[in-house]
Amino acid sequence: MAAPAALFLLLLCGPLPLTTPSASGGGGLPEGVVRGSDYPRVPPGHPRVYMRPGDLPRLRAKAADRGARQLWQRVTNRADEDPVVQAFMYHIEQNSSYCDSAVAAQRARVASTLAKRPPNGGRLPDHDLSAVGRTFFSMLHTTSVVLDWCYDTLKPDARASLISGIKALANMDAPGYPIDFGNTTSPPHWDTVVGHPCEGWVMTG
């Protein structure tokens, strides 16, 4: 997504409440440290990336507010070319055709990106990795957002296609997906607390 559209979307959404772990983990743990089992879990249902169903009435009211008219217009101007904006507009205007367009466009983008994979299925050259998953609104990120925001409108084949695409995109970057836990001489056993390998640990479960 181009930076202006991303900025307008985030401004329109405003700060959304986030669930955070408690300040003290208890059980003799230091202040601010919590056990892994105490961290908040992924909430059920969709959407759940950046917004929850309970946020939608407020967002719709904001989009309809006269004071946000110019801002909203700048968002809608991007709808024809940006799948994330289309998926967002589905929730605001409650028109599933936006998700039809968003999903079709995102699936095509994922297919185009995956076509650049080396013949052996290995990682992309480092200069191409940011386009896949290392930056905000990268391909991995936008595909996850479209999947979540359009989840309830998706037919099984489209849902499976996006999920498969996300896994394949994740495998193009370090440490790959799923993680090879038997490899003890290189990632994932390097940087398992910070760095890219920790992402593979989370995704692999």
Side-chain angles (χ1 to χ4, degrees), residues 82-102:
D82 197 318
V84 171
V85 173
Q86 293 170 341
F88 182 71
M89 290 184 64
Y90 156 64
H91 286 287
I92 301 303
E93 300 192 4
Q94 299 176 278
N95 183 341
S96 63
S97 66
Y98 284 117
C99 269
D100 294 340
S101 298

PDB file of all heavy atoms in Angstrom, residues 82-102:
ATOM      1  N   ASP A  82      -5.974  -0.755  -4.443  1.00  0.00           N
ATOM      2  CA  ASP A  82      -5.371  -1.242  -3.209  1.00  0.00           C
ATOM      3  C   ASP A  82      -6.268  -2.272  -2.523  1.00  0.00           C
ATOM      4  O   ASP A  82      -7.330  -1.922  -2.006  1.00  0.00           O
ATOM      5  CB  ASP A  82      -5.103  -0.067  -2.259  1.00  0.00           C
ATOM      6  CG  ASP A  82      -4.126  -0.439  -1.164  1.00  0.00           C
ATOM      7  OD1 ASP A  82      -4.243  -1.546  -0.624  1.00  0.00           O
ATOM      8  OD2 ASP A  82      -3.246   0.381  -0.849  1.00  0.00           O
ATOM      9  N   PRO A  83      -5.886  -3.544  -2.494  1.00  0.00           N
ATOM     10  CA  PRO A  83      -6.727  -4.577  -1.876  1.00  0.00           C
ATOM     11  C   PRO A  83      -7.004  -4.342  -0.391  1.00  0.00           C
ATOM     12  O   PRO A  83      -8.092  -4.686   0.084  1.00  0.00           O
ATOM     13  CB  PRO A  83      -5.914  -5.865  -2.089  1.00  0.00           C
ATOM     14  CG  PRO A  83      -5.067  -5.595  -3.275  1.00  0.00           C
ATOM     15  CD  PRO A  83      -4.720  -4.138  -3.175  1.00  0.00           C
ATOM     16  N   VAL A  84      -6.052  -3.779   0.330  1.00  0.00           N
ATOM     17  CA  VAL A  84      -6.277  -3.528   1.756  1.00  0.00           C
ATOM     18  C   VAL A  84      -7.361  -2.480   1.948  1.00  0.00           C
ATOM     19  O   VAL A  84      -8.232  -2.608   2.821  1.00  0.00           O
ATOM     20  CB  VAL A  84      -4.968  -3.106   2.450  1.00  0.00           C
ATOM     21  CG1 VAL A  84      -5.237  -2.637   3.882  1.00  0.00           C
ATOM     22  CG2 VAL A  84      -3.980  -4.262   2.473  1.00  0.00           C
ATOM     23  N   VAL A  85      -7.343  -1.440   1.132  1.00  0.00           N
ATOM     24  CA  VAL A  85      -8.385  -0.415   1.211  1.00  0.00           C
ATOM     25  C   VAL A  85      -9.737  -1.023   0.850  1.00  0.00           C
ATOM     26  O   VAL A  85     -10.757  -0.744   1.488  1.00  0.00           O
ATOM     27  CB  VAL A  85      -8.057   0.776   0.288  1.00  0.00           C
ATOM     28  CG1 VAL A  85      -9.224   1.761   0.255  1.00  0.00           C
ATOM     29  CG2 VAL A  85      -6.796   1.486   0.772  1.00  0.00           C
ATOM     30  N   GLN A  86      -9.766  -1.874  -0.170  1.00  0.00           N
ATOM     31  CA  GLN A  86     -11.016  -2.528  -0.551  1.00  0.00           C
ATOM     32  C   GLN A  86     -11.564  -3.378   0.594  1.00  0.00           C
ATOM     33  O   GLN A  86     -12.769  -3.365   0.877  1.00  0.00           O
ATOM     34  CB  GLN A  86     -10.785  -3.398  -1.788  1.00  0.00           C
ATOM     35  CG  GLN A  86     -10.470  -2.611  -3.042  1.00  0.00           C
ATOM     36  CD  GLN A  86     -10.015  -3.508  -4.187  1.00  0.00           C
ATOM     37  OE1 GLN A  86      -9.606  -4.649  -3.977  1.00  0.00           O
ATOM     38  NE2 GLN A  86     -10.071  -2.982  -5.398  1.00  0.00           N
ATOM     39  N   ALA A  87     -10.683  -4.114   1.256  1.00  0.00           N
ATOM     40  CA  ALA A  87     -11.121  -4.956   2.369  1.00  0.00           C
ATOM     41  C   ALA A  87     -11.631  -4.109   3.522  1.00  0.00           C
ATOM     42  O   ALA A  87     -12.611  -4.473   4.193  1.00  0.00           O
ATOM     43  CB  ALA A  87      -9.953  -5.830   2.838  1.00  0.00           C
ATOM     44  N   PHE A  88     -11.007  -2.968   3.749  1.00  0.00           N
ATOM     45  CA  PHE A  88     -11.463  -2.055   4.802  1.00  0.00           C
ATOM     46  C   PHE A  88     -12.839  -1.486   4.459  1.00  0.00           C
ATOM     47  O   PHE A  88     -13.733  -1.407   5.303  1.00  0.00           O
ATOM     48  CB  PHE A  88     -10.445  -0.932   4.988  1.00  0.00           C
ATOM     49  CG  PHE A  88     -10.794   0.030   6.088  1.00  0.00           C
ATOM     50  CD1 PHE A  88     -10.707  -0.361   7.412  1.00  0.00           C
ATOM     51  CD2 PHE A  88     -11.189   1.324   5.798  1.00  0.00           C
ATOM     52  CE1 PHE A  88     -11.011   0.526   8.440  1.00  0.00           C
ATOM     53  CE2 PHE A  88     -11.496   2.211   6.807  1.00  0.00           C
ATOM     54  CZ  PHE A  88     -11.411   1.812   8.140  1.00  0.00           C
ATOM     55  N   MET A  89     -13.029  -1.102   3.218  1.00  0.00           N
ATOM     56  CA  MET A  89     -14.302  -0.521   2.799  1.00  0.00           C
ATOM     57  C   MET A  89     -15.440  -1.531   2.898  1.00  0.00           C
ATOM     58  O   MET A  89     -16.593  -1.150   3.091  1.00  0.00           O
ATOM     59  CB  MET A  89     -14.181   0.050   1.382  1.00  0.00           C
ATOM     60  CG  MET A  89     -13.304   1.297   1.325  1.00  0.00           C
ATOM     61  SD  MET A  89     -13.242   2.043  -0.320  1.00  0.00           S
ATOM     62  CE  MET A  89     -14.948   2.542  -0.531  1.00  0.00           C
ATOM     63  N   TYR A  90     -15.120  -2.813   2.755  1.00  0.00           N
ATOM     64  CA  TYR A  90     -16.152  -3.840   2.944  1.00  0.00           C
ATOM     65  C   TYR A  90     -16.786  -3.705   4.329  1.00  0.00           C
ATOM     66  O   TYR A  90     -18.013  -3.782   4.472  1.00  0.00           O
ATOM     67  CB  TYR A  90     -15.541  -5.231   2.771  1.00  0.00           C
ATOM     68  CG  TYR A  90     -16.315  -6.328   3.475  1.00  0.00           C
ATOM     69  CD1 TYR A  90     -17.618  -6.642   3.080  1.00  0.00           C
ATOM     70  CD2 TYR A  90     -15.756  -7.036   4.537  1.00  0.00           C
ATOM     71  CE1 TYR A  90     -18.348  -7.634   3.736  1.00  0.00           C
ATOM     72  CE2 TYR A  90     -16.468  -8.025   5.189  1.00  0.00           C
ATOM     73  CZ  TYR A  90     -17.757  -8.320   4.796  1.00  0.00           C
ATOM     74  OH  TYR A  90     -18.481  -9.299   5.448  1.00  0.00           O
ATOM     75  N   HIS A  91     -15.975  -3.492   5.329  1.00  0.00           N
ATOM     76  CA  HIS A  91     -16.503  -3.388   6.685  1.00  0.00           C
ATOM     77  C   HIS A  91     -17.212  -2.056   6.926  1.00  0.00           C
ATOM     78  O   HIS A  91     -18.152  -1.997   7.722  1.00  0.00           O
ATOM     79  CB  HIS A  91     -15.377  -3.563   7.702  1.00  0.00           C
ATOM     80  CG  HIS A  91     -14.929  -4.983   7.824  1.00  0.00           C
ATOM     81  ND1 HIS A  91     -15.687  -5.947   8.446  1.00  0.00           N
ATOM     82  CD2 HIS A  91     -13.805  -5.605   7.383  1.00  0.00           C
ATOM     83  CE1 HIS A  91     -15.056  -7.099   8.398  1.00  0.00           C
ATOM     84  NE2 HIS A  91     -13.920  -6.926   7.753  1.00  0.00           N
ATOM     85  N   ILE A  92     -16.787  -1.020   6.236  1.00  0.00           N
ATOM     86  CA  ILE A  92     -17.419   0.283   6.438  1.00  0.00           C
ATOM     87  C   ILE A  92     -18.742   0.366   5.688  1.00  0.00           C
ATOM     88  O   ILE A  92     -19.762   0.803   6.227  1.00  0.00           O
ATOM     89  CB  ILE A  92     -16.483   1.418   5.988  1.00  0.00           C
ATOM     90  CG1 ILE A  92     -15.165   1.374   6.772  1.00  0.00           C
ATOM     91  CG2 ILE A  92     -17.170   2.779   6.180  1.00  0.00           C
ATOM     92  CD1 ILE A  92     -15.321   1.439   8.278  1.00  0.00           C
ATOM     93  N   GLU A  93     -18.761  -0.057   4.444  1.00  0.00           N
ATOM     94  CA  GLU A  93     -19.959   0.063   3.609  1.00  0.00           C
ATOM     95  C   GLU A  93     -20.771  -1.232   3.544  1.00  0.00           C
ATOM     96  O   GLU A  93     -21.855  -1.252   2.962  1.00  0.00           O
ATOM     97  CB  GLU A  93     -19.550   0.515   2.208  1.00  0.00           C
ATOM     98  CG  GLU A  93     -18.844   1.883   2.237  1.00  0.00           C
ATOM     99  CD  GLU A  93     -18.688   2.487   0.859  1.00  0.00           C
ATOM    100  OE1 GLU A  93     -19.186   1.891  -0.129  1.00  0.00           O
ATOM    101  OE2 GLU A  93     -18.075   3.575   0.770  1.00  0.00           O
ATOM    102  N   GLN A  94     -20.236  -2.309   4.123  1.00  0.00           N
ATOM    103  CA  GLN A  94     -20.931  -3.595   4.211  1.00  0.00           C
ATOM    104  C   GLN A  94     -21.388  -4.099   2.845  1.00  0.00           C
ATOM    105  O   GLN A  94     -22.498  -4.587   2.673  1.00  0.00           O
ATOM    106  CB  GLN A  94     -22.113  -3.484   5.181  1.00  0.00           C
ATOM    107  CG  GLN A  94     -21.673  -3.107   6.603  1.00  0.00           C
ATOM    108  CD  GLN A  94     -22.833  -2.891   7.545  1.00  0.00           C
ATOM    109  OE1 GLN A  94     -23.425  -1.816   7.560  1.00  0.00           O
ATOM    110  NE2 GLN A  94     -23.167  -3.900   8.327  1.00  0.00           N
ATOM    111  N   ASN A  95     -20.463  -3.979   1.889  1.00  0.00           N
ATOM    112  CA  ASN A  95     -20.711  -4.434   0.519  1.00  0.00           C
ATOM    113  C   ASN A  95     -19.647  -5.477   0.185  1.00  0.00           C
ATOM    114  O   ASN A  95     -18.462  -5.156   0.049  1.00  0.00           O
ATOM    115  CB  ASN A  95     -20.618  -3.245  -0.436  1.00  0.00           C
ATOM    116  CG  ASN A  95     -20.929  -3.626  -1.876  1.00  0.00           C
ATOM    117  OD1 ASN A  95     -20.883  -4.793  -2.246  1.00  0.00           O
ATOM    118  ND2 ASN A  95     -21.234  -2.631  -2.699  1.00  0.00           N
ATOM    119  N   SER A  96     -20.053  -6.735   0.070  1.00  0.00           N
ATOM    120  CA  SER A  96     -19.101  -7.828  -0.111  1.00  0.00           C
ATOM    121  C   SER A  96     -18.355  -7.764  -1.440  1.00  0.00           C
ATOM    122  O   SER A  96     -17.325  -8.438  -1.604  1.00  0.00           O
ATOM    123  CB  SER A  96     -19.809  -9.178   0.010  1.00  0.00           C
ATOM    124  OG  SER A  96     -20.779  -9.333  -1.010  1.00  0.00           O
ATOM    125  N   SER A  97     -18.831  -6.966  -2.389  1.00  0.00           N
ATOM    126  CA  SER A  97     -18.125  -6.871  -3.673  1.00  0.00           C
ATOM    127  C   SER A  97     -16.732  -6.297  -3.479  1.00  0.00           C
ATOM    128  O   SER A  97     -15.820  -6.579  -4.268  1.00  0.00           O
ATOM    129  CB  SER A  97     -18.917  -6.012  -4.665  1.00  0.00           C
ATOM    130  OG  SER A  97     -18.989  -4.668  -4.237  1.00  0.00           O
ATOM    131  N   TYR A  98     -16.548  -5.478  -2.443  1.00  0.00           N
ATOM    132  CA  TYR A  98     -15.209  -4.955  -2.160  1.00  0.00           C
ATOM    133  C   TYR A  98     -14.253  -6.094  -1.831  1.00  0.00           C
ATOM    134  O   TYR A  98     -13.099  -6.100  -2.251  1.00  0.00           O
ATOM    135  CB  TYR A  98     -15.251  -3.964  -0.997  1.00  0.00           C
ATOM    136  CG  TYR A  98     -15.808  -2.606  -1.361  1.00  0.00           C
ATOM    137  CD1 TYR A  98     -16.975  -2.138  -0.777  1.00  0.00           C
ATOM    138  CD2 TYR A  98     -15.151  -1.790  -2.280  1.00  0.00           C
ATOM    139  CE1 TYR A  98     -17.485  -0.893  -1.104  1.00  0.00           C
ATOM    140  CE2 TYR A  98     -15.662  -0.541  -2.611  1.00  0.00           C
ATOM    141  CZ  TYR A  98     -16.830  -0.096  -2.018  1.00  0.00           C
ATOM    142  OH  TYR A  98     -17.327   1.135  -2.343  1.00  0.00           O
ATOM    143  N   CYS A  99     -14.720  -7.066  -1.069  1.00  0.00           N
ATOM    144  CA  CYS A  99     -13.862  -8.193  -0.735  1.00  0.00           C
ATOM    145  C   CYS A  99     -13.630  -9.092  -1.944  1.00  0.00           C
ATOM    146  O   CYS A  99     -12.543  -9.668  -2.092  1.00  0.00           O
ATOM    147  CB  CYS A  99     -14.451  -8.995   0.428  1.00  0.00           C
ATOM    148  SG  CYS A  99     -13.870  -8.428   2.043  1.00  0.00           S
ATOM    149  N   ASP A 100     -14.617  -9.230  -2.796  1.00  0.00           N
ATOM    150  CA  ASP A 100     -14.415 -10.008  -4.017  1.00  0.00           C
ATOM    151  C   ASP A 100     -13.234  -9.446  -4.808  1.00  0.00           C
ATOM    152  O   ASP A 100     -12.363 -10.196  -5.280  1.00  0.00           O
ATOM    153  CB  ASP A 100     -15.670  -9.989  -4.884  1.00  0.00           C
ATOM    154  CG  ASP A 100     -16.848 -10.698  -4.242  1.00  0.00           C
ATOM    155  OD1 ASP A 100     -16.623 -11.516  -3.332  1.00  0.00           O
ATOM    156  OD2 ASP A 100     -17.998 -10.424  -4.653  1.00  0.00           O
ATOM    157  N   SER A 101     -13.211  -8.121  -4.941  1.00  0.00           N
ATOM    158  CA  SER A 101     -12.126  -7.467  -5.682  1.00  0.00           C
ATOM    159  C   SER A 101     -10.803  -7.570  -4.930  1.00  0.00           C
ATOM    160  O   SER A 101      -9.748  -7.835  -5.523  1.00  0.00           O
ATOM    161  CB  SER A 101     -12.468  -5.995  -5.925  1.00  0.00           C
ATOM    162  OG  SER A 101     -13.635  -5.863  -6.705  1.00  0.00           O
ATOM    163  N   ALA A 102     -10.851  -7.361  -3.626  1.00  0.00           N
ATOM    164  CA  ALA A 102      -9.631  -7.389  -2.818  1.00  0.00           C
ATOM    165  C   ALA A 102      -8.963  -8.748  -2.866  1.00  0.00           C
ATOM    166  O   ALA A 102      -7.736  -8.862  -3.042  1.00  0.00           O
ATOM    167  CB  ALA A 102      -9.953  -7.012  -1.371  1.00  0.00           C
TER     168      ALA A 102
END
